[in-house]
Amino acid sequence: MLRMNSVFFAFVLLSTFIFSSSFAQSSSKIQNTSQDTQNASSVISNQNNAIAMLFGEPITLADITPAQDTMSKIRKQAPDNVTQLVTQMRAINLANQIIEGVLSDYASTHNIEVDSDLVEAFKQKFGSEYEKNNQKVAAKKDAQQENNELKESVSAEDITSIDEIALTQVERWQIEKHLYKTYGGTVIFEQSNPSMPVEAYLALMKEYANKGKFKVLDEALAERFWEAFEPPYEFVIAPEDVNFNQPWWR
């Protein structure tokens, strides 16, 4: 969807010595308190290491770093571009987390519910296409089961659920329809989204950021995040051709 795109703290370690059975009850309380202290310290540590905050929760570098199997593939397939690719993937992962969080909150706030008729229409339109793709993936996996490397690269995540995709696409379109009605602005064509109300996204993100609902603390990542929504835009749809009366797949 996108174009890409130390606070020091210390705590006191308490040591408790039990000399008699009269301390048994207090010992349990002390252990619980110690666990609570550790949990609180963990939360503080995450906040201190945060590269972004989303609805009061920290997002750390570890949260947006590609999984180990993905890192292994990058090192094998593009050994000379590992740093660049990982940086790009982190930026995309961060953007996805923020966008998904904001859109989820927006949909809830405006009581946007998935239209089941549109879901069925999407499934009828693309169901056979996804099924063919899943069959190809499964066949490729079966044909090379002895290849351990392939076992890692073809997983359950590669098998696409048309039900899940239909729900996601319909919900996203309904949200974007509401966004365009609310904020207007430029709409662009994206390969994965033929009618993306990019300036409506920008207005929404700025609104949430100004309210303190999210903030990208890392300057480089912040720049990458915002530039994905800002002009200049490619493949702009003429205002007279923008139509959210029907979803793009109908």
Side-chain angles (χ1 to χ4, degrees):
M1 184 180 67
L2 298 182
R3 278 188 288 155
M4 17 208 136
N5 2 229
S6 101
V7 175
F8 178 81
F9 74 93
F11 62 90
V12 179
L13 178 64
L14 300 177
S15 300
T16 304
F17 297 93
I18 310 258
F19 294 103
S20 67
S21 60
S22 62
F23 288 91
Q25 185 175 0
S26 62
S27 173
S28 176
K29 293 180 180 179
I30 290 171
Q31 289 175 355
N32 290 336
T33 302
S34 177
Q35 184 63 48
D36 291 342
T37 301
Q38 292 177 12
N39 291 338
S41 298
S42 177
V43 170
I44 295 172
S45 178
N46 284 338
Q47 290 178 342
N48 291 339
N49 293 324
I51 46 86
M53 298 293 295
L54 179 62
F55 296 109
E57 295 295 326
I59 298 176
T60 66
L61 196 62
D63 294 328
I64 62 172
T65 298
Q68 190 58 48
D69 59 340
T70 302
M71 294 289 289
S72 297
K73 293 175 192 175
I74 293 174
R75 293 189 184 98
K76 291 178 181 178
Q77 297 174 10
D80 297 331
N81 297 307
V82 173
T83 300
Q84 180 181 357
L85 291 174
V86 170
T87 298
Q88 291 175 349
M89 293 182 73
R90 282 172 172 164
I92 292 171
N93 289 341
L94 175 63
N96 285 338
Q97 285 195 37
I98 293 174
I99 292 168
E100 287 174 10
V102 169
L103 292 187
S104 178
D105 183 79
Y106 185 84
S108 177
T109 301
H110 294 86
N111 299 313
I112 300 173
E113 298 182 358
V114 177
D115 187 322
S116 58
D117 291 337
L118 292 181
V119 172
E120 288 304 314
F122 187 94
K123 290 164 66 175
Q124 290 178 12
K125 180 79 172 182
F126 299 107
S128 59
E129 179 180 337
Y130 282 107
E131 180 61 27
K132 288 179 182 178
N133 179 70
N134 290 341
Q135 289 176 355
K136 289 180 181 179
V137 172
K140 184 178 179 181
K141 182 178 180 181
D142 290 341
Q144 303 185 41
Q145 282 186 352
E146 299 305 317
N147 188 325
N148 291 331
E149 183 176 337
L150 183 64
K151 282 184 179 180
E152 294 178 359
S153 61
V154 179
S155 64
E157 295 179 355
D158 296 301
I159 304 300
T160 306
S161 167
I162 184 60
D163 293 314
E164 183 178 351
I165 286 178
L167 284 169
T168 300
Q169 290 291 336
V170 170
E171 182 180 39
R172 181 60 61 88
W173 180 82
Q174 289 182 249
I175 293 172
E176 291 180 345
K177 177 182 179 180
H178 197 285
L179 283 176
Y180 183 70
K181 182 179 179 180
T182 303
Y183 299 101
T186 300
V187 177
I188 62 174
F189 172 86
E190 291 277 327
Q191 187 173 0
S192 60
N193 186 353
S195 299
M196 179 184 175
V198 62
E199 283 194 323
Y201 268 99
L202 177 59
L204 178 68
M205 294 299 155
K206 284 185 175 180
E207 181 178 308
Y208 269 66
N210 290 336
K211 291 180 179 178
K213 295 187 176 183
F214 81 85
K215 183 176 183 179
V216 183
L217 305 173
D218 182 280
E219 291 185 7
L221 287 170
E223 183 178 352
R224 282 174 172 264
F225 177 83
W226 288 110
E227 73 180 4
F229 300 102
E230 296 172 343
Y233 303 120
E234 295 181 354
F235 309 115
V236 174
I237 300 175
E240 61 270 22
D241 293 330
V242 174
N243 183 5
F244 279 95
N245 292 327
Q246 288 288 338
W248 53 266
W249 60 86
R250 298 193 79 172

